[in-house]
Amino acid sequence: MAHRVAVIAGDGIGPDITAAALKVVAAAGVELETTVFDVGADRFLRDGHVLDDDDLAAIASHDAILKGPLGPPIGDKQIPGGTIERGIILKLRFALDQYINLRPFEGKGLEFVVIRENTEGSYAGEGGFLRKGTPHEVATQGSVNTRHGVERCVRFAFELAMTRQRRHLTLVHKTNVLTFAGDLWQRTFNEVAAEYPDVATAYNHVDAACIYFVEDPQRYDVVVTDNLFGDILTDLAGAVVGGVGLAGTGNLNPERTTPSMFEPVHGSAHDALGTDKVNAAAQIMAAALMLEFLGEADAGARIRKTVSSVLATNPVPSTIGDAVAAAL
């Protein structure tokens, strides 16, 4: 039976790289029944909105979501800031309870995974303005952390660590300054750790982790962290292993009560459209993650291996989709 996949092609280079990823999936022998959703910057410019309730309900009926990068060109003034991020990306993550952001990194002899809590923290939207636009303006942006949200993320990370050879898990936070949120994360981590005696654990402050990601990334196996720190660290990790153009990610609902979403880490890169700089590797790797989550582990692994092989022998971004499909 074909997997039912909602496709959000994205903006800028999104349609091109999403098409390349779907071509690779087909070459790997996996049948998908796709529905394309017109969601993104062009939709906003045309209709004044980006993702309505009917779109959300239709997307939720699928087995998974393959999403391309979204967003207008840098410097575009026609779309208010946050419209795409909160109106589409965060709306899907929150509404579909995709509480785990899974970002594996492989390259330059490195292989580790970052688990980012995906529905709480500073991105939950708590906060507001007082006296906006005046000399006495006040802006607050709260970080929302619940025991339920933290524990399910930490527990997922321990379960993942148990499946890996090194069985090592590092918590990254800023407990010395963020003494409320950090305390909740540390206590929860320690309590859950007692249930996993076979997993070795460590703790790093986020600023120290940034140094270690650059100078000693070999120390990491699985990393678990909150929403904001995870967003920053995973972009850094992408650069460390060869660039964010190679990094795919999964926004997971581990209980599978709603579809999980798979996407590249990078943005829509409008300036690269129509050039030989368009690199579909991250989108293809996201598709591989999607297949693995859907139970197509062999196809996903073959795609990832083939992408690495093609990049090692003929690193031409604009033709990588065709090259990987042909190799498969």
Side-chain angles (χ1 to χ4, degrees):
M1 183 180 297
H3 302 287
R4 299 183 66 247
V5 174
V7 176
I8 299 174
D11 300 313
I13 64 171
D16 288 347
I17 63 175
T18 303
L22 291 172
K23 182 175 184 177
V24 167
V25 169
V30 179
E31 184 179 355
L32 301 181
E33 180 185 327
T34 60
T35 306
V36 177
F37 287 86
D38 178 18
V39 173
D42 288 343
R43 168 83 173 272
F44 180 83
L45 293 174
R46 185 179 68 247
D47 300 338
H49 62 90
V50 287
L51 180 71
D52 59 30
D53 290 342
D54 289 339
D55 295 325
L56 185 58
I59 289 171
S61 69
H62 290 72
D63 300 323
I65 306 163
L66 183 64
K67 186 185 80 62
L70 290 167
I74 294 175
D76 184 276
K77 302 297 184 183
Q78 301 180 79
I79 301 178
T83 298
I84 301 298
E85 293 80 3
R86 291 210 164 272
I88 304 174
I89 301 170
L90 296 184
K91 185 173 182 177
L92 286 168
R93 291 177 185 174
F94 294 169
L96 301 177
D97 201 22
Q98 298 167 347
Y99 64 87
I100 293 294
N101 184 260
L102 171 71
R103 294 193 176 181
F105 296 95
E106 186 172 355
K108 296 188 176 181
L110 302 169
E111 196 275 312
F112 60 96
V113 182
V114 178
I115 301 300
R116 165 190 172 193
E117 198 291 316
N118 213 30
T119 59
E120 295 189 347
S122 301
Y123 292 5
E126 191 275 331
F129 292 102
L130 292 174
R131 300 184 291 275
K132 185 176 182 181
T134 76
H136 304 288
E137 181 173 341
V138 177
T140 61
Q141 192 82 53
S143 178
V144 177
N145 301 266
T146 68
R147 172 66 190 224
H148 170 70
V150 172
E151 182 173 340
R152 65 182 182 174
C153 178
V154 167
R155 194 170 294 279
F156 181 94
F158 271 103
E159 289 287 340
L160 177 63
M162 282 289 293
T163 69
R164 295 169 63 84
Q165 184 176 3
R166 290 177 59 187
R167 293 189 175 186
H168 189 278
L169 177 62
T170 303
L171 169 65
V172 173
H173 211 281
K174 190 67 176 173
T175 56
N176 59 335
V177 175
L178 303 178
T179 53
F180 302 124
D183 183 72
L184 173 58
W185 273 88
Q186 185 73 75
R187 280 187 292 109
T188 304
F189 184 84
N190 292 344
E191 290 168 18
V192 175
E195 302 177 32
Y196 296 86
D198 294 332
V199 177
T201 61
Y203 171 80
N204 293 158
H205 289 326
V206 64
D207 44 348
C210 289
I211 296 172
Y212 298 147
F213 267 44
V214 175
E215 294 186 348
D216 186 26
Q218 294 87 354
R219 71 170 55 204
Y220 294 113
D221 180 24
V222 181
V223 174
V224 64
T225 188
D226 82 346
N227 209 335
L228 178 59
F229 294 150
D231 194 1
I232 296 166
L233 283 173
T234 50
D235 278 3
L236 177 58
V240 167
V241 300
V244 293
L246 307 177
T249 184
N251 303 277
L252 308 183
N253 176 288
E255 290 76 25
R256 302 171 189 264
T257 55
T258 58
S260 295
M261 179 168 64
F262 302 85
E263 59 185 336
V265 172
H266 61 73
S268 50
H270 288 260
D271 57 333
L273 189 60
T275 74
D276 62 1
K277 297 179 181 180
V278 177
N279 188 349
Q283 188 77 56
I284 295 169
M285 296 296 264
L289 283 174
M290 179 183 73
L291 294 185
E292 291 171 341
F293 192 76
L294 291 172
E296 304 284 355
D298 177 68
R302 286 193 292 117
I303 288 172
R304 288 191 290 105
K305 183 177 180 180
T306 305
V307 169
S308 297
S309 176
V310 168
L311 287 173
T313 58
N314 184 27
V316 182
S318 62
T319 61
I320 188 172
D322 291 338
V324 171
L328 287 166

